[in-house]
Amino acid sequence: MTDAKAAGTLAEKSIRLQKATDQEYQAFLSRTFLYRQAVGSLIYLNATRPDISWTISKLSQYLDKPSMKHVTAVKHLFRYIKRTKSNTLVYKPTDNNLKAYRDSDWAGSIEDRRSTTGYVSTLGSAPLSWKTRKQPTVALSSCEAEYMALAECTKEILSLRSLKHR
């Protein structure tokens, strides 16, 4: 990947990840790409890169049976990181307002129709905490998926507020 062309986006626009068929998995096994190790290194990097959190969450759902589509998505993410490696989190003295932003996709998973929650909380100008994960239950409507995301985000804000006031 050292000589790979840098990518300007987190993922390819048309890619839709899903569990590999047995034939796709066998094609993956014939290659020597260390998918689990690659995703593991991305998870480690996620501690300082909130912009890649959602993509890593999606890629890590297929650790048990990846296909070459998953490998392509991992390589694309590495190319994006190559282009944005100089991006940093900058913490400046600000008004110290604690803010949070959250979203969810309704039934975004093709296999089990569960939604994904994502949120980021900021203190002043930079991200303080962030998370992306599949919701534990199936939401019956987009409104329900948004409420589950709101509940997760609210728990995080309450926790951070208690730390702020100590």
Side-chain angles (χ1 to χ4, degrees):
M1 297 298 300
T2 306
D3 298 327
K5 182 180 174 186
T9 59
L10 279 165
E12 293 178 18
K13 184 179 180 181
S14 62
I15 196 161
R16 187 101 165 131
L17 297 178
Q18 58 189 28
K19 201 170 203 167
T21 64
D22 289 335
Q23 184 178 0
E24 291 172 330
Y25 185 59
Q26 290 304 318
F28 165 79
L29 291 176
S30 69
R31 307 286 175 110
T32 55
F33 185 81
L34 303 173
Y35 184 79
R36 288 182 183 194
Q37 289 84 339
V39 173
S41 65
L42 290 167
I43 291 170
Y44 179 77
L45 184 60
N46 186 43
T48 58
R49 296 288 303 258
D51 57 331
I52 62 175
S53 180
W54 182 86
T55 307
I56 293 170
S57 173
K58 289 298 179 190
L59 293 171
S60 64
Q61 293 174 19
Y62 303 102
L63 293 175
D64 61 332
K65 196 174 181 183
S67 70
M68 292 312 294
K69 275 187 181 179
H70 301 103
V71 171
T72 301
V74 166
K75 287 182 177 181
H76 188 92
L77 184 53
F78 276 126
R79 290 177 33 232
Y80 170 78
I81 292 166
K82 180 178 182 176
R83 179 176 217 162
T84 60
K85 65 183 172 188
S86 63
N87 290 5
T88 60
L89 297 177
V90 178
Y91 294 94
K92 300 176 185 175
T94 60
D95 55 9
N96 288 334
N97 283 335
L98 186 60
K99 296 179 184 175
Y101 306 90
R102 55 101 195 123
D103 197 11
S104 69
D105 68 344
W106 179 47
S109 174
I110 296 171
E111 288 91 22
D112 58 10
R113 307 301 296 162
R114 290 194 300 175
S115 307
T116 301
T117 292
Y119 65 81
V120 61
S121 62
T122 62
L123 183 60
S125 63
L128 185 60
S129 68
W130 54 89
K131 187 174 189 178
T132 303
R133 68 178 280 232
K134 213 184 245 193
Q135 292 179 351
T137 58
V138 175
L140 300 178
S141 67
S142 60
C143 184
E144 187 177 358
E146 293 290 342
Y147 275 125
M148 285 190 233
L150 181 62
E152 286 293 315
C153 186
T154 301
K155 288 190 282 186
E156 180 69 13
I157 289 298
L158 290 174
S159 174
L160 291 172
R161 280 182 63 196
S162 70
L163 292 174
K164 186 178 174 187
H165 295 297
R166 285 186 180 180

